[in-house]
Amino acid sequence: SEWYEQRPAMAVEAPGRVVMAWGLPLLTDRSFEGQVAWSRYVDHGPFAWGTVRLRAAAGAKKSSAAKPVPVKLYDHRFLGVLGTWVPVPYLPQPGTKANMYGVGACVLSRCLCVPKFSKRLPASKAPEAAHLPKDSNSTSGVECLRFEGGKSAVLNVMAFPIIGLFLLWQFPSNWASLSSNAVLSMANVARGRLWVLLSAPFSHRGWSEAFHCGVMLASTIDSFDRAEVSFAIFLALYLGGSWAAWFG
């Protein structure tokens, strides 16, 4: 955390100017302009995992006390391998709204994102540059393609494959293919179809199975979201629980 506290704020490009890299806009977030909220370090022998949470204003500071400046939280994570720290990419957070993320990746406040081209606005009507840098406002015509995060995003990510496979199960012509590729069985594993370990937990043939899974997801995701558990941990527990139920 001392490294973050002593590091100067990253410079951002001039307003209205977009730096392109590999055909994508290269942006700078405001994470290094904030303060360290907390840091955590876990040692696993030759490997280690470190997290630094930064708290920064999501837009330009205003003097009005009636409308406080929105705040964004950024988790900078690092993988330690034999004494060397490697930064782990994280999602951009464009705008000032909570749980809004960009389609792309950031490393140490430098972000590449999939652009969303919008209509060019005059500078007098352009919205104030928010969390992502001043070069990402609409005066440049380019901003990050966004999606809503939090438990809504997790539900959508989990629901799409479940609903898709459930609808396919409703047509008998798909049963043979689904039985070979979306059912966890010793026969499929023995044939080398290891992808069933990932597809089978999302495959529900009957209405009762789908209803039970929906209730379980709706109740557990809300609890995990309040506890700020990452999606990776939730997905690992979901897959692990499905495999344990099959082996049991």
Side-chain angles (χ1 to χ4, degrees):
S1 60
E2 294 179 358
W3 182 81
Y4 277 86
E5 291 168 350
Q6 297 172 0
R7 185 183 179 94
M10 295 285 290
V12 296
E13 287 76 18
R17 176 171 174 261
V18 178
V19 178
M20 304 299 289
W22 302 294
L24 300 175
L26 178 61
L27 310 174
T28 306
D29 66 24
R30 298 179 183 270
S31 57
F32 282 146
E33 298 178 8
Q35 298 178 342
V36 176
W38 53 261
S39 60
R40 182 179 301 151
Y41 166 79
V42 181
D43 189 359
H44 298 286
F47 302 97
W49 184 258
T51 304
V52 179
R53 170 163 291 188
L54 301 170
R55 180 184 178 93
K61 295 184 178 180
K62 300 179 181 180
S63 58
S64 174
K67 191 175 182 181
V69 178
V71 173
K72 291 276 188 177
L73 299 175
Y74 311 88
D75 289 340
H76 286 211
R77 296 182 172 88
F78 298 85
L79 175 64
V81 182
L82 300 176
T84 302
W85 289 102
V86 180
V88 178
Y90 59 94
L91 289 175
Q93 298 186 51
T96 59
K97 293 177 62 178
N99 292 327
M100 292 301 297
Y101 297 90
V103 180
C106 300
V107 176
L108 297 179
S109 88
R110 304 296 288 182
C111 306
L112 280 174
C113 69
V114 176
K116 176 185 178 183
F117 292 93
S118 57
K119 184 178 179 181
R120 186 182 298 272
L121 296 177
S124 60
K125 296 183 179 180
E128 201 171 24
H131 152 75
L132 278 180
K134 301 177 180 66
D135 62 354
S136 67
N137 62 29
S138 57
T139 59
S140 66
V142 180
E143 60 182 16
C144 280
L145 186 63
R146 306 178 185 184
F147 66 93
E148 184 177 359
K151 62 182 179 182
S152 298
V154 175
L155 276 174
N156 291 336
V157 170
M158 303 291 286
F160 281 137
I162 292 174
I163 294 175
L165 289 171
F166 175 76
L167 292 177
L168 291 175
W169 274 113
Q170 307 313 304
F171 299 92
S173 58
N174 299 322
W175 288 359
S177 177
L178 290 172
S179 297
S180 300
N181 298 282
V183 173
L184 184 57
S185 65
M186 289 301 300
N188 284 334
V189 174
R191 292 187 177 96
R193 298 169 182 165
L194 300 181
W195 56 84
V196 298
L197 293 171
L198 299 178
S199 61
F202 300 95
S203 177
H204 303 286
R205 184 171 183 172
W207 286 94
S208 60
E209 294 181 24
F211 177 77
H212 179 268
C213 180
V215 172
M216 185 271 294
L217 286 177
S219 59
T220 56
I221 286 178
D222 183 67
S223 300
F224 276 69
D225 183 65
R226 289 198 300 267
E228 298 184 354
V229 177
S230 67
F231 173 71
I233 294 178
F234 177 81
L235 182 61
L237 291 175
Y238 178 82
L239 295 175
S242 300
W243 300 335
W246 180 74
F247 283 108

